Amino acid sequence: MSYDVRRLKGFLTIAVALLIIALTAVLLVILLFRADKFEIVGTELYDESEILSASGINEGVFLYSVDKENAEQSILEKCTLISKATVLVRMPNKVIISVTEDVPVFYTSVGVSTVMFGYDLRIGDVKQNSAIGEGISVELPEISSAVAGSRLQFVNGEPTYIQKILEAAVRCNLFDRITLINCESTREAFFEVDGKYKLILGGTADLELKLAVAEEYLENPRIANAEYAILDLTSPKEVLVTVND
C-alpha cells in the first residue's frame, strides 16, 4: 500500500471519527438538554408564572424545540401591558425571557368601558363596564375598535395629530400637572392643567415651544393665583390670556 493511500485512509478515519463525535454531541443536545431553569427579566406588573404560562414553554421541553418567535408573540397577545418580549435559550438547561412593560398613561371612555393606552395609541387594558381609569383623561374622536394589545381604531381613520399631541404631553415639564387632554379636533385641542388652566394649542405646530411658553406664564403670580385661566397658545409669541380671579 502506497504512502498516499495510507494517508488518505488516515484522513478518512479521522473524518469519520469527527463525524461520529459531532452526531453524538447533537444527539446529546436533543436528548439531554431540557429546560428546567427559567429566568424572567423586567416584569413588575405580571407574576413570573403568568409570563411563563403565556409563553407556552413547559418545563422539561427540549431546548432545541423551543419556538422563540411563537413564544414572544404569545406573550404579547396574552400579557397586553407588555410591549416587547425576547426569549433566549442557554445551554444546557436555561430559558431566559426578557420583557418590557408598557404602562398606559392615558385613558378614555368607549361606550360603558374605559380604555387605557400609551401616547402611541397602543391599548394596554380595557376595563369593561367601568368608568374608572388610570392616568390622564383624553377626549378623542369617535372610536370604532378598542382591543387590548392593539392600537385604537377610529371611525374616520386615524388623525395624525393625536399622537403628536400626546407625545408632546409626555415630553413636557407640565406632564405631571395635566388633568385632561382634548383631542377631538386639531383646531380645538387643549390641555387642562391643575384642573383650572386651559391651554389652547391651536394645532400641532411648535408644540414644544408653546408648552415651554405656557410653563413660564403659569409662574406669573396673577395666573398662578387665579381661580381659572385660559391661555391661547396658537401664536406662542402673542399668547392671549383670560383670567378669572
Side-chain angles (χ1 to χ4, degrees):
M1 184 181 296
S2 69
Y3 172 76
D4 289 339
V5 173
R6 290 197 303 271
R7 186 178 182 187
L8 178 60
K9 290 183 67 176
F11 282 142
L12 289 174
T13 300
I14 294 173
V16 170
L18 291 175
L19 180 60
I20 292 173
I21 293 172
L23 291 174
T24 302
V26 170
L27 185 62
L28 286 174
V29 169
I30 293 175
L31 296 179
L32 300 180
F33 288 6
R34 296 172 177 263
D36 59 21
K37 289 185 178 180
F38 296 90
E39 181 179 351
I40 314 298
V41 180
T43 181
E44 293 183 3
L45 300 176
Y46 294 95
D47 292 334
E48 293 185 359
S49 59
E50 288 182 272
I51 295 177
L52 185 57
S53 175
S55 74
I57 302 174
N58 299 315
E59 184 174 358
V61 68
F62 295 121
L63 285 185
Y64 81 92
S65 68
V66 172
D67 187 336
K68 294 183 286 186
E69 183 176 344
N70 186 64
E72 292 166 357
Q73 186 60 37
S74 180
I75 292 170
L76 295 178
E77 291 175 356
K78 296 178 180 178
C79 301
T80 56
L81 294 180
I82 291 176
S83 59
K84 182 180 180 181
T86 303
V87 177
L88 301 172
V89 295
R90 291 287 182 268
M91 300 300 181
N93 60 350
K94 190 173 186 179
V95 175
I96 302 172
I97 301 176
S98 178
V99 301
T100 300
E101 294 176 333
D102 183 16
V103 182
V105 293
F106 304 107
Y107 72 92
T108 194
S109 296
V110 179
V112 296
S113 300
T114 297
V115 178
M116 288 170 285
F117 57 96
Y119 72 85
D120 59 355
L121 301 181
R122 181 179 180 275
I123 300 169
D125 195 14
V126 177
K127 292 187 176 181
Q128 303 290 342
N129 300 313
S130 173
I132 301 175
E134 299 174 5
I136 300 172
S137 175
V138 182
E139 297 174 351
L140 294 168
E142 188 176 359
I143 294 170
S144 62
S145 176
V147 179
S150 301
R151 288 168 56 85
L152 281 167
Q153 300 295 314
F154 298 88
V155 171
N156 296 318
E158 182 179 319
T160 57
Y161 69 88
I162 295 177
Q163 188 169 335
K164 293 179 182 179
I165 289 174
L166 296 182
E167 185 172 357
V170 171
R171 293 175 180 272
C172 77
N173 293 331
L174 294 171
F175 177 70
D176 292 337
R177 298 170 60 184
I178 297 173
T179 51
L180 172 70
I181 298 177
N182 185 297
C183 284
E184 292 180 304
S185 74
T186 184
R187 290 183 177 275
E188 303 298 327
F190 67 83
F191 290 174
E192 182 183 80
V193 175
D194 296 339
K196 65 176 185 176
Y197 306 120
K198 182 177 181 179
L199 311 183
I200 298 174
L201 303 177
T204 58
D206 300 319
L207 278 176
E208 184 177 348
L209 173 60
K210 290 175 180 178
L211 293 172
V213 169
E215 185 180 0
E216 293 181 4
Y217 269 80
L218 293 181
E219 293 177 356
N220 182 290
R222 188 182 175 213
I223 298 175
N225 296 325
E227 291 185 4
Y228 189 77
I230 300 174
L231 280 67
D232 188 335
L233 302 163
T234 302
S235 175
K237 294 182 179 180
E238 298 179 0
V239 178
L240 302 177
V241 181
T242 304
V243 176
N244 292 338
D245 294 318

